[in-house]
Amino acid sequence: MTSPIRLAINGASGRMGRVLLDLARGDARFALRAAVVGAGAEPVGAPVGGVEAPGALRYSAGWAEAPPLDVVVDFSTPAGLAAALDHCESHGIALVAGTTGLDAALEQRLQRAAGRIAVLRSANFSLGVAVLTRLLRQAAAALPGWDLEILEAHHNRKEDAPSGTALALGRAAAAARGTTLEAEAVYAREGRPGARRAGSIGFAAVRGGDIVGEHTALLAGPGERLELTHRATDRAIFARGALAAAAWLAGRAAGAYTLDDVLMADA
Ligand SMILES: NC(=O)c1ccc[n+]([C@@H]2O[C@H](COP(=O)([O-])OP(=O)(O)OC[C@H]3O[C@@H](n4cnc5c(N)ncnc54)[C@H](OP(=O)(O)O)[C@@H]3O)[C@@H](O)[C@H]2O)c1
């Protein structure tokens, strides 16, 4: 694309949304055209950036007044993502979706939408996690008899558990072992759950303070163990990855894309 990409941020008042707004406003690849927040959210109608001026971009609740767009970047809530998806589908706009904790119905809607618009989803937009996923696929396949546990830690306001990233890691490892997460996942243990079932993939979630996001894939064999860990210390990594994905996705044909597609293009 030659002219700046017309961009909307959905969930613009959230932790991720605020970082995305800061980065996008200083990024010459983009023309920021909409900052969408939940209905009744505090900043509705206020100018983005805080400076009153005629024609200033303002936070909006919903999509009714949205201008023409090339791409929407969504880090909001499942309901917020569903509303953005409606708008993108009916106007042929590409969608980068970062929201996690979706139910099966919304997962299916996103898959169907990829028949009509370009949709790029990732449970984790960091480069380090993309590489961790590749390393885990290798390790899970090379050590098939070892017990695999996925541990994650996040801030105390996170609503879903295990994290979307932990589930994506589990899915990647299960596929590398020729099975599925549905068949192997163990999400909770308490009381007397009995001995660990061979081949299962266990999850543990820690919540506290302002932890941005930590994931460890622990592979335990007889007499040794391997731990692959990623620690995010700054949410800007997710925002940078999502904006790189948006720049790559704008103008593409309909389809379901992943962060790997963007990384391969850069490789
Ligand atoms: N894929 C990744 O790399 C990645 C990285 C980090 C986070 N995430 C995910 O991204 C999502 C947001 O994370 P966060 O930490 O930024 O959460 P957050 O701080 O709670 O922000 C979510 C924002 O969405 C707003 N919202 C609610 N309903 C909305 C609607 N209908 N339309 C538009 N906006 C709406 C909320 O506004 P109100 O507070 O006013 O309701 C809130 O400001 C979560 O699902 C999180 O797990 C993904």
Side-chain angles (χ1 to χ4, degrees), residues 79-126:
L81 171 57
L85 180 59
D86 281 344
H87 185 71
C88 289
E89 267 194 291
S90 49
H91 293 80
I93 301 165
L95 173 64
V96 172
T99 298
T100 62
L102 316 186
D103 63 18
L106 187 49
E107 293 278 355
Q108 280 167 13
R109 274 198 58 207
L110 277 164
Q111 275 168 24
R112 277 200 307 274
R116 287 190 288 277
I117 58 170
V119 177
L120 190 151
R121 294 185 58 202
S122 176
N124 194 305
F125 277 94
S126 95

Side-chain angles (χ1 to χ4, degrees), residues 10-11 13-17 36-38 41 75-77 79-80 98-100 122-125 155 158 160 238:
N10 191 42
S13 56
R15 279 172 294 255
M16 281 299 302
V36 178
V37 298
F75 283 80
S76 61
T77 60
T99 298
T100 62
S122 176
N124 194 305
F125 277 94
H155 53 87
K158 183 162 178 66
D160 51 320
F238 308 124

